[in-house]
Amino acid sequence: MRVEIWADIACPWCYIGKARFEKGLDGFAHRGEVEIVHRSFELDPEAAPAAGTPVLEMLAQKYGVSREQAEAMEARVAEAAAGEGLGYRSDRIHGNTFDLHRLLHLAKERGAQDALLGALYRANFAEARALGDGDVLTEVAVAAGLDEEDVRRVLADRDAYAEAVRADEREAAELGARSVPFFVIDRRYGISGGQPAEVFRQALERAWEEGAALAPGGDGGEAAAPGCEGDVCRPGTGTGSGH
């Protein structure tokens, strides 16, 4: 079974959703037979590539609210993060994530994609590190298991893995993903948003049972028709929850 996860490092619900998905996966009997593939999605591709903007300022501008209201928005997300045992700071910088996604494709080739994604989330949300700084980003990537020379080579070459990032983004659009996090299980089920762990566990079980029925020697049942059931939809049926 393959689970593809479209996400952006700047997305707090992607950070929370990853933790909730992993809890759901822990409760799935066939966890050892699940392949996880992380895919690229940029929430704000026009964001500044380096220094960026304080996240509270960005939220106030984006939603047309006061700083106090932006702080309240962040406090609600922080509470959700704390519920998953995650650190969360609102003094972080919002910036362009294209280079981070390019490094995630390098990490995929090196077998360290999940480790790097987790390290980037922690560096951004729990530690408020300046990931727009090449030296800081390199330090985080090397600590996650990548070779420093490889990391610096990719960061110096703007074309390295750029098409891989764009291809992921095009595929997200084709599947109907308008927001992230977006989880696709065996191209049968799409789950949008940082859903509770139990939603993920049930979706994994449903996809597993359906796959077994359709496999040679199964009961020969028909695949379910496109549509949604609760928080779980067929990819391409307009899934997306605005995260």
Side-chain angles (χ1 to χ4, degrees):
M1 174 184 286
R2 169 183 278 200
V3 179
E4 296 161 277
I5 306 172
W6 274 264
D8 191 5
I9 298 87
C11 163
W13 287 106
C14 297
Y15 174 50
I16 295 168
K18 183 177 188 295
R20 291 178 175 176
F21 170 76
E22 288 170 352
K23 288 181 179 178
L25 184 60
D26 283 342
F28 179 54
H30 305 282
R31 173 178 179 164
E33 298 177 69
V34 178
E35 175 192 8
I36 309 296
V37 179
H38 297 287
R39 303 235 182 245
S40 302
F41 192 107
E42 294 172 275
L43 284 173
D44 189 4
E46 302 304 319
T53 305
V55 72
L56 290 172
E57 180 181 325
M58 180 277 293
L59 290 171
Q61 292 176 350
K62 179 177 180 179
Y63 295 106
V65 299
S66 68
R67 182 182 175 86
E68 290 73 20
Q69 289 171 311
E71 289 173 347
M73 293 167 60
E74 276 286 275
R76 289 191 291 271
V77 181
E79 183 178 3
E84 304 303 327
L86 301 173
Y88 193 87
R89 290 172 53 168
S90 296
D91 58 342
R92 64 191 188 277
I93 297 297
H94 174 78
N96 190 282
T97 58
F98 188 66
D99 284 347
L100 281 63
H101 286 294
R102 295 194 301 117
L103 285 182
L104 284 166
H105 279 278
L106 168 67
K108 180 181 177 182
E109 290 186 354
R110 302 295 188 267
Q113 192 183 42
D114 190 71
L116 177 58
L117 181 61
L120 292 172
Y121 278 143
R122 287 190 298 274
N124 184 40
F125 291 105
E127 301 167 3
R129 300 190 69 182
L131 294 177
D133 182 303
D135 289 333
V136 173
L137 179 54
T138 298
E139 182 181 334
V140 172
V142 170
L146 294 184
D147 177 78
E148 181 174 351
E149 184 176 342
D150 283 346
V151 172
R152 293 194 181 278
R153 173 181 55 79
V154 170
L155 292 179
D157 179 2
R158 295 291 295 169
D159 291 330
Y161 301 102
E163 178 53 29
V165 174
R166 298 305 184 208
D168 278 354
E169 293 174 338
R170 287 194 299 269
E171 193 165 14
E174 291 168 2
L175 289 171
R178 299 189 299 269
S179 59
V180 287
F182 185 60
F183 302 77
V184 177
I185 305 174
D186 268 352
R187 295 299 171 107
R188 292 191 177 94
Y189 294 100
I191 306 172
S192 183
Q195 302 293 340
E198 184 62 12
V199 171
F200 290 116
R201 186 189 64 77
Q202 291 177 357
L204 289 166
E205 291 180 350
R206 190 182 312 164
W208 182 271
E209 291 168 2
E210 182 177 300
L214 295 174
D219 65 12
E222 295 294 328
C228 298
E229 181 180 338
D231 297 304
V232 181
C233 296
R234 299 280 165 174
T237 58
T239 51
S241 62
H243 292 291

